[in-house]
Amino acid sequence: MKRHEMPAFDGHNDVLSRLHAMHPDAPAAAFINGFDAAIDLVKARSGGFGGGFFAIYVPPMEVDTDTRRAAMEQSGYDLPLPPELDRGHAETVTLEQAAILQDLETAGALSICRSVGDIGSAMDDGNIAAIMHLEGAESIDADLAMLDRLHDLGLRSIGPVWSRSTIFGYGVPFRYPSGPDIGPGLTEPGERLVKRCNELGILIDLSHMNEAGFRDVARLSTAPLVATHSNAHAICPHARNLTDEQLRIIADSDGMVGLNFATAFLRPDGRMIPDVAFGTMLQHLDHLIGILGETRVGLGSDYDGAVMPEALTTAADLPALRDAMRRHGYDDELQGKLMCDNWLSALERIWH
């Protein structure tokens, strides 16, 4: 893949779980040739998608996702947290999705990156730079042996919870309108998970954590704080978004926030429908930059995991976002920071 003049490095996508569900037998061929997804090699080449965090995510069992999606199209909702997952099932699916990522690397579709140097080399060579990320730690045991195993496979980023409870903590529900101060924070194993991630140099993602868990990570972690795909609560008062106080805590740690494209976290009315203008996304970016500064904000699309704005449905549409930034007054230097450079700088501060 020829390097784009301004490549996009993205804080979150769910294409691995989509490949796992749709093309478990031949994921590399589907990704390389193009399939019904927001991200594949064809769309990446078209839109200048340089790489990002590839999430391993285990979908809820026995949950009516269509009913939940329909509820989020309304102007107010409070969805119950999905039940906890069986660890054996979560471990199986996690390793299967990790194997898909490895298959993609073997096929030459991307490079699994364990350092910022790896990312730079991959992008210079025209390859997608992929960070193995775990969204929800259901597959990890209380003794953290599985964490070390996944780290050996290339894991460099983890969200201790998705929006359901684990042995490590409690997720924030899909609730609008709502603040994030919902439920207790980290458990004792959760505190040990944070400390072990610091030792291994694994990024800890705060995106799906409630306020108590957020504060526990902020208290315990020695690394900059990161929310890979979250937005401004001041604009969209969704439980999943970050309050100005949380943003200031992240800024004080020299951390990072990736703008989530999921429409329910962008729209002021919290509805998960595709009618979202670039102006709304830029309003969030302006707000994030106003608190975090120009060097601590990037992209965190949530591609293949949520409803996207109608003008930004796939990675092939990323040039339209660049154009909107330019019209909004973001010069090339600021665009470069937001599209890619800030993520690489943040990872330099976190990984070792």
Side-chain angles (χ1 to χ4, degrees):
M1 182 174 70
K2 184 179 179 181
R3 183 164 183 176
H4 196 276
E5 61 178 1
M6 189 176 290
F9 194 84
D10 181 41
H12 189 89
N13 76 67
D14 288 290
V15 72
L16 294 179
S17 58
R18 193 166 183 85
L19 285 166
H20 184 265
M22 298 178 64
H23 298 280
D25 297 327
F31 187 84
I32 290 170
N33 296 322
F35 75 113
D36 183 19
I39 295 177
D40 56 37
L41 190 57
V42 176
K43 299 181 185 79
R45 284 174 170 164
S46 176
F49 177 86
F53 293 65
F54 281 63
I56 294 172
Y57 163 72
V58 185
M61 300 176 67
E62 301 178 2
V63 170
D64 187 343
T65 54
D66 289 339
T67 298
R68 291 174 66 88
R69 179 69 57 85
M72 292 184 69
E73 293 176 354
Q74 309 307 309
S75 57
Y77 45 85
D78 184 2
L79 304 184
L81 291 176
E84 292 187 40
L85 288 179
D86 172 75
R87 198 185 78 79
H89 169 73
E91 180 177 312
T92 297
V93 175
T94 294
L95 292 174
E96 288 172 351
Q97 292 190 24
I100 288 175
L101 190 63
Q102 291 170 322
D103 287 346
L104 296 178
E105 181 176 56
T106 300
L110 51 74
S111 298
I112 300 173
C113 298
R114 296 164 172 81
S115 69
V116 176
D118 287 348
I119 295 172
S121 295
M123 295 175 71
D124 286 342
D125 291 340
N127 295 328
I128 293 176
I131 297 170
M132 186 188 293
H133 169 75
L134 189 61
E135 185 175 30
E138 288 89 354
S139 61
I140 297 176
D141 55 290
D143 293 332
L144 307 183
M146 187 63 177
L147 179 69
D148 284 19
R149 181 180 177 186
L150 290 171
H151 180 264
D152 290 342
L153 292 175
L155 183 74
R156 291 299 181 270
S157 176
I158 183 172
V161 296
W162 177 71
S163 289
R164 63 190 163 210
S165 299
T166 70
I167 63 171
F168 304 109
Y170 302 87
V172 66
F174 291 93
R175 181 184 297 175
Y176 178 92
S178 175
D181 188 9
I182 304 166
L186 294 178
T187 62
E188 188 274 333
E191 294 187 354
R192 288 191 285 108
L193 176 68
V194 169
K195 293 175 183 178
R196 182 60 178 153
C197 285
N198 283 166
E199 292 171 358
L200 293 171
I202 296 175
L203 182 152
I204 302 166
D205 182 17
L206 300 168
S207 292
H208 282 272
M209 301 199 75
N210 63 19
E211 186 170 346
F214 177 103
R215 291 185 178 278
D216 283 342
V217 174
R219 172 175 55 86
L220 293 166
S221 180
T222 59
L225 301 174
V226 175
T228 62
H229 56 305
S230 295
N231 294 339
H233 189 273
I235 297 171
C236 171
H238 197 290
R240 265 281 280 111
N241 283 340
L242 298 167
T243 65
D244 286 359
E245 182 179 3
Q246 288 176 306
L247 293 174
R248 283 190 285 268
I249 292 171
I250 293 172
D252 289 344
S253 77
D254 202 11
M256 182 77 184
V257 174
L259 176 77
N260 194 326
F261 298 0
T263 59
F265 313 138
L266 287 169
R267 290 176 57 98
D269 62 6
R271 299 177 67 195
M272 187 72 91
I273 58 176
D275 182 16
V276 176
F278 282 121
T280 301
M281 302 181 74
L282 291 161
Q283 186 180 6
H284 279 272
L285 281 174
D286 286 343
H287 190 88
L288 295 174
I289 292 169
I291 296 177
L292 292 156
E294 293 186 356
T295 61
R296 302 186 189 94
V297 180
L299 306 182
S301 70
D302 216 352
Y303 270 143
D304 288 310
V307 175
M308 296 286 107
E310 53 194 357
L312 202 58
T313 56
T314 77
D317 299 319
L318 287 169
L321 177 59
R322 297 184 187 93
D323 289 342
M325 288 181 177
R326 188 172 295 108
R327 292 194 301 270
H328 190 63
Y330 292 178
D331 60 20
D332 286 348
E333 181 181 3
L334 179 54
Q335 286 186 58
K337 292 176 182 177
L338 297 174
M339 298 298 294
C340 182
D341 295 344
N342 287 348
W343 269 122
L344 303 192
S345 296
L347 293 172
E348 284 277 16
R349 300 192 293 272
I350 296 166
W351 286 350
H352 56 76

